[in-house]
Structures are given as C-alpha cells and as structure tokens.
Amino acid sequence: TWAAADGPFYLTANLTVGAGATLTIQPGTTVYLASGVNLTVANGGRLLAEGTAEAPIRFCRVPGVTNRWGGMIINGGAGSPETRLACVLIEGNNSTAIHSTGGTVFLDHVSFGTTDRQYLSLDASSFVVQDCVFPSATGLFELVHGTGGVKSGGRGLFLRNFFGAANSISGNYNDVVDFSGGNRPSPIVQFIDNVFVGTGDDHLRLDS
C-alpha cells in the first residue's frame, strides 16, 4: 500500500505487480516514473489506484524533467482480478498510457495529460470506461484502440466519457475509437451517453 503521506513515490526501474499481489495506491498519492519506466500488472496481479475528486492520484514524470516514462501495461486472462483506476491523471508517458491485454479493468474519472501519445488500448479485455476525459489529439493516433473483442465472461462498456477530436491530418490512425470484435455471440461492446466533438476520420470504427 502506497499512502500519500509516504510519497511522492519515484520509480527508477520497471515495476511489475506479480500474480497474486495487489498494489493499492491511496487517494492523493503522486507516482513519479523515470525515463522509459513501465508499470506492469502481471496476469493474476491487481492494481487498485482509487483517488477522489478532492485527492486524485497522479502518474507523471518528475517536474522539470523532459525525458518520458513508458506506460501502464495490464495483462490478464480468464478470471483475472479487476484492476481499478479512479480519479487518476496520467501524463508524461511515451507509449500508450494504458494498454490492457486480456485484462479486466475499471476506469472511472481517468484523464490524460499527454496528447501526442495514445490514451487507451483494450485488447481481448473486459472493461468499464466511465466518466473519463480523452483530450483532442495533437499526434496521429486513435484515441482508443482495441482488438480481439471483449473477453469471454467479461463486459465492454463506454459510459459518459468525453472524447476530443482525433487529429485531422489525412491518413490512417485518426479515428476516435477503433474497436474490432465485441459482437455476438461473445459479449458486445456498448457506447452509452458519450460525447464526441470531432474527428479526422471516424468517430467510431467498429470492425468485424
């Protein structure tokens, strides 16, 4: 457990939350990550980073440092425990901010401060993404990308999110959300009460 009173915390090397382990980060905590460092949740591990509106949790680089850290990687499989992020700000990343492969994730009031790197990738995962803010992109990428549909026994829900515009530069990778799969007989992907303000291509590209 990482408490705000004991921080800020500084990760100077890659950190993996191993199978059977839970890393709990309490409200108001700041986590600094050094250049190229990734925070990884292994299959069977779990991250609980649940802040509040008054005391959000921040994942970022050290103030005044220009080098960027890597990203947050969540791995999982059948029956993997749920990683939960609430009232979290992620900034200073150099790869996809959150990349889930086979994971089970719950994202609530998560915002992204680095606008030239992809925000969220959901591959064969179970997920709820609600009340999150995805700013307009300043780089050429899809704000949210997913392949492999929704994993068996899971759910795929986008609820009350704000999606800024994808980059207007012509070419590929400028949809707002590009998601493949998520259709019956497997769990379906659902979009409910979201706001989309613009795009260089498609607001929703739902393949397969």
Side-chain angles (χ1 to χ4, degrees):
T1 299
W2 295 355
D6 298 326
F9 294 85
Y10 184 29
L11 300 184
T12 59
N14 292 333
L15 176 67
T16 297
V17 182
T22 297
L23 172 59
T24 300
I25 303 178
Q26 295 184 345
T29 301
T30 295
V31 180
Y32 294 132
L33 299 99
S35 176
V37 167
N38 295 317
L39 174 58
T40 300
V41 180
N43 186 7
R46 181 171 60 161
L47 171 64
L48 299 178
E50 296 179 281
T52 66
E54 296 75 22
I57 294 169
R58 298 174 64 230
F59 295 91
C60 57
R61 54 189 171 185
V62 176
V65 173
T66 58
N67 291 338
R68 298 187 184 189
W69 57 286
M72 191 176 299
I73 302 164
I74 302 167
N75 296 314
S80 56
E82 184 176 67
T83 282
R84 299 176 64 90
L85 281 74
C87 295
V88 166
L89 170 65
I90 300 175
E91 59 184 353
N93 52 292
N94 197 41
S95 56
T96 300
I98 302 174
H99 189 170
S100 173
T101 302
T104 301
V105 295
F106 180 86
L107 307 180
D108 174 48
H109 286 88
V110 176
S111 56
F112 302 87
T114 298
T115 61
D116 62 353
R117 294 294 185 271
Q118 189 172 62
Y119 304 133
L120 180 60
S121 186
L122 299 162
D123 298 335
S125 298
S126 173
F127 56 88
V128 175
V129 180
Q130 64 179 32
D131 299 302
C132 295
V133 175
F134 299 91
S136 293
T138 57
L140 189 58
F141 61 91
E142 295 156 342
L143 277 58
V144 177
H145 185 268
T147 62
V150 181
K151 74 176 180 179
S152 179
R155 53 185 175 169
L157 176 62
F158 292 93
L159 176 65
R160 298 186 306 269
N161 301 290
F162 175 88
F163 292 95
N167 202 302
S168 61
I169 299 173
S170 62
N172 295 323
Y173 307 113
N174 54 345
D175 304 315
V176 177
V177 178
D178 185 339
F179 195 86
S180 298
N183 51 307
R184 293 182 174 88
S186 299
I188 63 171
V189 62
Q190 302 175 74
F191 295 85
I192 302 173
D193 291 340
N194 298 280
V195 173
F196 295 84
V197 300
T199 180
D201 194 355
D202 302 321
H203 287 289
L204 294 177
R205 178 176 178 136
L206 304 179
D207 297 321
S208 302

